[in-house]
Amino acid sequence: ASITQALVSTSQRDKRRTLTDLLRASGFTSAIVFCNRKRDVKTLVGDLKKDGFRAGQIHGDMEQPERMATLDRFKS
């Protein structure tokens, strides 16, 4: 009941800008963003941090304790 899902159409070139604009305008205190590839996750996290967001990553190449720590930071 507390999860909001949305689809926003944008061009490939404008994806990151659209995402940061949505995150800023939404007023959300937390969000989960899914990526197709693990390499995109690292890039996106870096871009979000540059834009002033607190961001973390979870993917299959991480050790389980790392993933759990990131998830705990998200929950808090």
Side-chain angles (χ1 to χ4, degrees):
S2 64
I3 296 175
T4 302
Q5 180 176 325
L7 173 66
V8 176
S9 182
T10 188
S11 69
Q12 181 71 25
R13 187 182 64 166
D14 292 332
K15 275 185 172 183
R16 289 207 172 90
R17 173 179 270 164
T18 301
L19 175 62
T20 56
D21 290 347
L22 284 169
L23 290 172
R24 282 197 177 98
S26 69
F28 294 131
T29 56
S30 59
I32 298 175
V33 178
F34 293 91
C35 295
N36 288 2
R37 293 169 286 233
K38 287 179 265 189
R39 66 183 167 98
D40 294 341
V41 172
K42 184 177 182 178
T43 302
L44 180 59
V45 166
D47 289 347
L48 288 171
K49 286 181 176 181
K50 284 180 197 172
D51 287 337
F53 293 98
R54 291 183 305 171
Q57 60 184 326
I58 297 177
H59 56 74
D61 287 347
M62 296 173 71
E63 296 293 326
Q64 186 65 20
E66 267 184 296
R67 284 185 275 193
M68 295 305 295
T70 300
L71 189 57
D72 288 342
R73 283 191 302 274
F74 176 77
K75 289 177 184 177
S76 65

